[in-house]
Amino acid sequence: MENLKIRPEGKVWQDGVSKSITFIVTKDCQLACKYCYLVGKNSKERMSFETAKSAVDYILSHESQFTEASVVWDFIGGEPFLEVDLIDRICDYIKIEMYRRNHHWFGSYRFSLTTNGINYDTPKVQDFIKKNKNHLSVGLTIDGTKVKHDLNRIYKKSGKGSYEDVVRNIPLWMSQFPFEGTKVTISSEDIPYIAESVLHIYSLGIHQVNINCVFEDVWKEGDDKLFERQLVSLADSIIDNDLYKDYSCSFFSEHIGKPQNPIDENQNWCGAGQMLAIDANGIFYPCTRFAQYSLREKKAWTIGNIHDGIDQNRLRPFLTLDRCTQSKPECISCEVSRGCAWCQGENYDAAETPTAYQRATAICKMHKARVRANNYYWNKLYRKLELEGLREEFEKNKPKSKDLIC
């Protein structure tokens, strides 16, 4: 396990709890991914520098409200690198203002983006990366094999798959961000391609695959069985070929599939309410999933704006969210509940009333299938290690769970 490419520890910006602040710089994208939760993407809503500047000024001038030791300044779309000039200007302003104000985040910050990879190699994007390299994380999304990727990640105008335009930029991206993983999304139609897609991503030189099922209610009868078979096949390939020594897949974790104590393990799954998202009009949201372009059924849930600041009454419901306050009794008492994820925005969008306290459970069967495959993975791996006399070494050298992004 000593060669597993995980993110190194000790980065100053990661110490303690970081504040996540997200700028929705554009709602435009070259792609129209079939599983994308951003149902309101468009080419008109673009953040101005003046709006971003006002947001930064508000945040940095209210230091008592933002006491976290570190900050992640996140930029999303649509495709954020469509607005690389704007992002570059915002980042320059953030750096200057944190220094000028002697803000406690100066020296303990990170700029973060996730890109579809299409224009990654353009001169403007590369200049931005070189300029901010020491405080920058860039994730690049590739869904797996050409078949799986092109099944969903298609150009919005032509309907053509984008695999070739993305894969050509993987070597450049990996040379600049060797410890980054890619993000893979699973929907009903592409379940048959999971195993070969994860292995394909490994073959591209990417060591960490962060993969999840969509939270929306898209699953068909029998999907969970097919999903389990794919994960068992993937487990066999990883273990039989010793790939577990150098590669990781977030579907396999020793820490999932156990019952949870409602007292000691009652935290909310995500950071909705602890994060802050800002759109092109300077409106504040508890998470980007509560902005209107992310919602199918509900109205946007705003918590303030750049002029009036954060409305604590609008934010208050998110401060008491936990597993028990939003879950059904069967979820709380479930024997395999640990690791069963949820999206707070999808909870709100799918709820019978405008509440964030009704947990959406569309992925229940998929989680249970994952648990069964996960048990198979670890049972097989430990049997192999015992036979080879390597279990003690494996236990000593394996990364801690917090080192792997789930």
Side-chain angles (χ1 to χ4, degrees):
M1 294 293 292
E2 65 273 10
N3 295 322
L4 182 62
K5 289 192 175 183
I6 55 177
R7 193 188 304 280
E9 293 187 7
K11 295 289 187 181
V12 174
W13 71 278
Q14 290 179 310
D15 290 346
V17 178
S18 61
K19 184 72 175 182
S20 179
I21 298 172
T22 300
F23 295 87
I24 305 172
V25 292
T26 180
K27 294 182 180 177
D28 195 12
C29 185
Q30 307 100 318
L31 303 182
C33 300
K34 295 177 184 178
Y35 51 57
C36 185
Y37 64 85
L38 299 175
V39 295
K41 287 190 292 188
N42 64 80
S43 59
K44 298 178 181 178
E45 295 180 75
R46 172 191 179 274
M47 181 175 282
S48 68
F49 175 72
E50 289 69 26
T51 295
K53 177 179 179 297
S54 295
V56 173
D57 288 343
Y58 170 78
I59 292 163
L60 295 183
S61 64
H62 289 78
E63 199 165 353
S64 63
Q65 293 183 25
F66 302 91
T67 58
E68 293 83 357
S70 304
V71 62
V72 177
W73 303 95
D74 189 31
F75 300 90
I76 70 165
E79 165 53 38
F81 274 141
L82 288 176
E83 294 293 343
V84 65
D85 289 336
L86 172 64
I87 293 172
D88 185 40
R89 192 177 177 191
I90 296 171
C91 289
D92 281 352
Y93 185 73
I94 288 171
K95 289 180 287 188
I96 291 169
E97 284 301 298
M98 288 193 301
Y99 175 79
R100 187 182 70 81
R101 297 167 186 261
N102 193 28
H103 196 281
H104 74 275
W105 283 341
F106 184 73
S108 190
Y109 68 93
R110 200 76 171 167
F111 298 130
S112 175
L113 303 94
T114 297
T115 175
N116 60 31
I118 291 171
N119 64 345
Y120 186 83
D121 60 345
T122 59
K124 285 186 177 182
V125 169
Q126 287 302 303
D127 287 345
F128 170 78
I129 290 171
K130 292 173 185 176
K131 181 178 181 179
N132 295 282
K133 185 68 167 59
N134 292 334
H135 287 274
L136 183 64
S137 295
V138 177
L140 187 149
T141 300
I142 185 165
D143 251 6
T145 63
K146 178 176 171 58
V147 171
K148 181 186 176 331
H149 185 98
D150 286 349
L151 185 65
N152 284 305
R153 301 187 67 79
I154 59 175
Y155 282 96
K156 66 178 180 181
K157 292 183 178 179
S158 67
K160 175 179 174 289
S162 60
Y163 175 86
E164 297 295 345
D165 293 328
V166 175
V167 76
R168 65 181 174 82
N169 284 323
I170 295 292
L172 174 60
W173 171 63
M174 288 303 300
S175 72
Q176 295 170 329
F177 300 97
F179 300 108
E180 290 289 339
T182 194
K183 178 72 163 56
V184 177
T185 301
I186 304 299
S187 60
S188 179
E189 288 71 20
D190 52 27
I191 293 174
Y193 310 106
I194 293 174
E196 63 182 10
S197 287
V198 172
L199 297 175
H200 177 69
I201 290 170
Y202 290 166
S203 75
L204 296 174
I206 301 171
H207 285 243
Q208 187 168 295
V209 176
N210 306 306
I211 186 168
N212 70 278
C213 297
V214 298
F215 293 102
E216 290 78 18
D217 188 6
V218 300
W219 305 106
K220 302 171 185 174
E221 187 68 29
D223 277 353
D224 55 326
K225 303 298 184 184
L226 180 57
F227 181 52
E228 181 179 353
R229 290 197 294 271
Q230 279 290 305
L231 294 192
V232 167
S233 174
L234 177 60
D236 285 338
S237 295
I238 290 174
I239 296 169
D240 293 345
N241 295 289
D242 292 337
L243 296 174
Y244 64 89
K245 296 179 179 179
D246 297 296
Y247 300 89
S248 70
C249 174
S250 62
F251 270 150
F252 302 123
S253 168
E254 286 186 279
H255 304 279
I256 73 163
K258 301 176 178 66
Q260 289 176 281
N261 186 314
I263 297 176
D264 298 329
E265 298 180 283
N266 192 34
Q267 66 272 18
N268 195 23
W269 182 263
C270 72
Q274 306 300 320
M275 303 180 285
L276 180 66
I278 307 127
D279 73 3
N281 295 314
I283 306 299
F284 292 162
Y285 305 91
C287 164
T288 58
R289 288 293 298 251
F290 288 86
Q292 195 62 63
Y293 82 139
S294 300
L295 299 169
R296 306 177 307 276
E297 305 293 338
K298 300 293 193 302
K299 296 294 184 183
W301 189 317
T302 64
I303 58 168
N305 57 67
I306 56 176
H307 305 295
D308 304 315
I310 294 175
D311 184 336
Q312 295 298 329
N313 285 328
R314 296 283 295 170
L315 181 62
R316 200 175 309 279
F318 293 89
L319 305 181
T320 56
L321 279 172
D322 56 41
R323 188 170 69 94
C324 288
T325 56
Q326 58 190 298
S327 300
K328 298 176 182 178
E330 53 263 38
C331 293
I332 297 172
S333 61
C334 178
E335 290 297 311
V336 295
S337 60
R338 186 179 294 170
C340 185
W342 63 84
C343 169
Q344 207 63 58
E346 176 60 17
N347 287 358
Y348 169 62
D349 205 16
E352 297 166 350
T353 61
T355 178
Y357 283 87
Q358 182 175 325
R359 181 173 168 181
T361 57
I363 65 166
C364 177
K365 288 184 178 181
M366 304 301 285
H367 170 70
K368 290 176 179 177
R370 177 196 174 193
V371 169
R372 293 191 296 270
N374 185 67
N375 291 340
Y376 173 87
Y377 175 93
W378 290 103
N379 286 335
K380 177 168 181 169
L381 177 58
Y382 278 122
R383 283 198 305 272
K384 175 185 173 76
L385 293 170
E386 290 281 2
L387 290 172
E388 296 176 352
L390 297 174
R391 178 159 182 171
E392 184 176 344
E393 180 184 354
F394 176 82
E395 292 280 7
K396 180 180 178 181
N397 293 317
K398 71 181 178 181
K400 299 175 183 178
S401 61
K402 69 183 177 63
D403 294 327
L404 298 178
I405 303 172
C406 296

